[in-house]
Amino acid sequence: PVHFPEKGDIICEDVDFAYEEGRKVLRHIHMTFKRGSLTAIVGESGCGKSTVAGLLTGRNRHYTGSICVGNVSLPDIRESSLMENVTYVSFNSYLFKGTVGENLRLAAPEADDDRLWEVLEQTRLADFLRSQQGLATMLSEKGSNLSGGQCQRLALARAILHDSPVYIFDEATSNIDVESENVIMEQILELARTKTVILISHRLANVVSADQIYVMEAGRVKESGRHGQLIQKSGVYQALWQTQQSLENYGMAQAG
């Protein structure tokens, strides 16, 4: 096994995957995730978005086709190196019972307090934690004494500390408050300036500025392009966009 290549794009070519024999969940997937860019994967629930994330993190094995990082095949990369170089943030990131500082230092054991406060500032948690016990603030199991948005921002702070070349955000902004969603999206865009960032989202408002969007349906890539291009095709993306826009407008009208 070799180390994860620091540079290079991630390329999936003709990838098929099944959790069980004869029931393919991914078919003929071609995707390129460019370094220093933001690539989004969108589509309805159950279309295969998270399965792709599972392949890239090494959780889902036994696929056919090829997945390469730079010019190295994914299965040739040492598992510990893969975990070090790919940071995965999901919609229910695990926070364990312990202090905020301990939770953060999982990602960077050597980090000094100044560095921890820096990422807490970035994720707009610093003021709140100063009003508590700072880095010594205790979290209960799964962070249940914080709001959902605060938990996600803490998970994001930990991810930033991990400082890896590749980041995968899997529905990391679902079911949280708008302020937290905005903070997380802002940091995702910031990371994408230097890292390979993959954003999996069912909410299209968050992928408008992505460099490349893959639209999935029933385990296949149906369309790809930038938001402006996809919105002009009368395809899956345009239909999803219109549905979501009208739902959001309806919600605002109800609230207003």
Side-chain angles (χ1 to χ4, degrees), residues 153-167:
R153 283 186 279 154
L154 192 57
L156 173 67
R158 189 167 66 188
I160 294 170
L161 275 173
H162 195 231
D163 194 24
S164 62
V166 179
Y167 281 86

Side-chain angles (χ1 to χ4, degrees), residues 32-49:
T32 298
F33 305 100
K34 286 199 172 304
R35 193 189 136 108
S37 78
L38 177 63
T39 307
I41 307 177
V42 302
E44 302 274 16
S45 282
C47 68
K49 303 187 294 288

Side-chain angles (χ1 to χ4, degrees), residues 233-251:
K233 294 180 186 174
S234 25
V236 184
Y237 186 88
Q238 190 198 55
L240 276 174
W241 176 261
Q242 286 172 342
T243 307
Q244 291 188 11
Q245 290 298 92
S246 55
L247 277 174
E248 291 190 13
N249 294 339
Y250 175 76

Side-chain angles (χ1 to χ4, degrees), residues 8-108:
D9 303 337
I10 300 174
I11 299 174
C12 302
E13 285 181 325
D14 203 20
V15 173
D16 283 22
F17 177 78
Y19 288 106
E20 49 192 82
E21 195 70 41
R23 287 184 54 189
K24 282 187 185 173
V25 259
L26 297 178
R27 295 166 190 276
H28 308 302
I29 299 292
H30 290 269
M31 291 180 174
T32 298
F33 305 100
K34 286 199 172 304
R35 193 189 136 108
S37 78
L38 177 63
T39 307
I41 307 177
V42 302
E44 302 274 16
S45 282
C47 68
K49 303 187 294 288
S50 293
T51 306
V52 174
L55 289 173
L56 301 178
T57 54
R59 284 200 315 272
N60 297 344
R61 297 180 182 278
H62 312 302
Y63 57 87
T64 60
S66 106
I67 302 178
C68 290
V69 184
N71 49 9
V72 179
S73 180
L74 192 71
D76 295 340
I77 297 170
R78 198 176 284 113
E79 198 172 334
S80 57
S81 183
L82 195 60
M83 288 173 71
E84 229 166 83
N85 288 280
V86 178
T87 303
Y88 175 75
V89 182
S90 73
F91 54 90
N92 55 355
S93 300
Y94 188 72
L95 298 171
F96 68 90
K97 199 172 169 181
T99 66
V100 165
E102 286 165 345
N103 270 278
L104 289 175
R105 283 202 172 92
L106 271 184

Side-chain angles (χ1 to χ4, degrees), residues 116-136:
L116 300 192
W117 281 110
E118 210 175 289
V119 294
L120 291 170
E121 289 286 357
Q122 269 175 275
T123 51
R124 313 268 198 288
L125 284 167
D127 291 348
F128 166 72
L129 288 169
R130 283 194 190 99
S131 74
Q132 306 293 305
Q133 282 86 48
L135 296 173

Side-chain angles (χ1 to χ4, degrees), residues 205-222:
N206 286 336
V207 308
V208 171
S209 54
D211 300 295
Q212 173 74 324
I213 300 169
Y214 289 101
V215 187
M216 290 186 69
E217 191 178 67
R220 295 176 188 270
V221 175
K222 279 297 210 196

